[in-house]
Amino acid sequence: MRVFVTGATGFIGSAIVRELITAGHKVLGLARSEAAAASLAAAGADVHRGSLEDLETLRSGAAAADGVIHAAFIHDFSNYAAAAETDKHAIETLGSALVGSDRPLIVTSGTLVLQRQGPFATEDDAPDLSFPRKSEDAVTALVSLGVRVAVLRLPPSVHGAGDHGFVPYLIGIARKQGVSAYIGDGINRWPAVHRLDAAHLFRLALEKGSVGANYHAVADEGIPTRDIAAVIGRHLNVPVVGKSPEEAAGHFGWMAHFFGIDGPASSAQTQQQLGWHPSQPGFIADLEEHYFQSEPAAYATR
């Protein structure tokens, strides 16, 4: 299968590219820059120059492929609503190129956007309508048009060496503030997955996914945020403290909203339906091993 991948040079997307090529697929990767194009070529992928904002480029990339994985998102938390709108238009455009075919489209969403109905968020739960990200709304519309589209929901921590996401940002805050903090009593939970396990699930969803299905890339179902703060504090040799919800915004900035969510999630249905079984190190073990060698990078676009 020739697979068009957006976000193909990002932390998660680059792992997806390697997973697909290793499994015998050909990859056409979206590249915004010469550096990204060179990285894709070195990985053995074909290059498709463009960006999420260039809808015609997205349409032509999808039209030239046997399947599409949409792994890109603009992580601009100062203007998140606009980033979510760009994502929605990108999904609509990719799907429009697949109408009337049996070519699959896998769209990325997140477990933290869900309205949890039980002890753990499951594949049956729907997104919170008040959350700005509308990727799953776009998917619902594409299903009604007959597109073979499915959703893959990622947890807030997709971890591994080279991570530039939420957890490195938390480490940077702790370095700057001189304390490693959690919010309230710190018993709210974050699910997590290793990026190589996530990449494997993207491939399985592409190859075997059902129309309109939701899949959860969750290995650790829910890690208390105070446990995350404790590891950070120990490695940085700074105190570990609780911040009240009123203090959280001043300490964490935009990160306060996300770090305060209690979002445990399950992948039991996904594992049963697709035969996916996470095998990489868990979040805490990975945090201990890979996250304190250097200053964290800024949060970047996947």
Side-chain angles (χ1 to χ4, degrees):
M1 188 184 298
R2 189 178 193 203
V3 186
F4 180 46
V5 180
T6 70
T9 58
F11 176 65
I12 301 168
S14 59
I16 294 171
V17 168
R18 288 194 296 272
E19 171 77 21
L20 292 170
I21 291 174
T22 299
H25 297 293
K26 295 181 179 180
V27 172
L28 178 65
L30 184 68
R32 294 176 297 166
S33 66
E34 289 293 339
S39 176
L40 279 171
D46 294 330
V47 177
H48 189 73
R49 291 297 300 271
S51 68
L52 287 186
E53 294 89 348
D54 184 350
L55 299 183
E56 185 52 43
T57 297
L58 295 181
R59 185 177 290 108
S60 63
D66 302 310
V68 178
I69 292 177
H70 176 50
F73 189 82
I74 300 171
H75 287 106
D76 181 0
F77 292 100
S78 65
N79 196 10
Y80 193 77
E85 193 67 14
T86 297
D87 183 51
K88 180 173 180 288
H89 291 319
I91 294 166
E92 292 168 344
T93 300
L94 293 167
S96 70
L98 305 176
V99 173
S101 75
D102 194 41
R103 292 174 291 161
L105 167 62
I106 307 302
V107 169
T108 307
S109 184
T111 63
L112 286 191
V113 309
L114 302 177
Q115 286 186 312
R116 177 162 52 94
Q117 301 301 310
F120 296 91
T122 74
E123 294 86 345
D124 295 329
D125 289 329
D128 184 340
L129 296 178
S130 67
F131 201 84
R133 190 165 183 175
K134 303 301 179 186
S135 51
E136 297 197 29
D137 290 349
V139 166
T140 299
L142 291 178
V143 170
S144 70
L145 296 175
V147 178
R148 185 182 161 191
V149 58
V151 172
L152 196 150
R153 294 166 173 164
L154 294 172
S157 179
V158 181
H159 56 87
D163 183 6
H164 51 247
F166 282 148
V167 173
Y169 194 85
L170 288 171
I171 294 170
I173 292 171
R175 282 192 169 109
K176 180 180 178 180
Q177 301 283 8
V179 297
S180 179
Y182 51 85
I183 299 173
D185 55 14
I187 62 172
N188 62 298
R189 295 153 293 173
W190 267 21
V193 70
H194 194 283
R195 72 169 183 145
L196 298 183
D197 283 325
H200 183 53
L201 181 57
F202 270 102
R203 176 172 67 83
L204 292 177
L206 181 81
E207 294 172 345
K208 304 193 296 183
S210 301
V211 175
N214 300 317
Y215 299 113
H216 281 194
V218 172
D220 290 297
E221 293 183 331
I223 301 164
T225 55
R226 66 184 179 192
D227 291 356
I228 299 171
V231 175
I232 294 172
R234 176 162 47 79
H235 276 271
L236 299 184
N237 195 28
V238 298
V240 179
V241 301
K243 295 288 183 179
S244 70
E246 294 74 24
E247 296 171 319
H251 182 85
F252 292 103
W254 59 263
M255 184 66 177
H257 171 73
F258 296 97
F259 201 46
I261 293 175
D262 183 36
S266 167
S267 62
Q269 293 182 35
T270 297
Q271 294 192 43
Q272 181 180 29
Q273 292 166 8
L274 295 183
W276 177 70
H277 303 292
S279 61
Q280 298 297 321
F283 174 77
I284 292 296
D286 209 17
L287 180 60
E288 299 270 12
E289 180 72 18
H290 289 122
Y291 281 76
F292 299 95
Q293 287 76 27
S294 62
E295 290 290 327
Y299 206 117
T301 303
R302 283 206 303 268

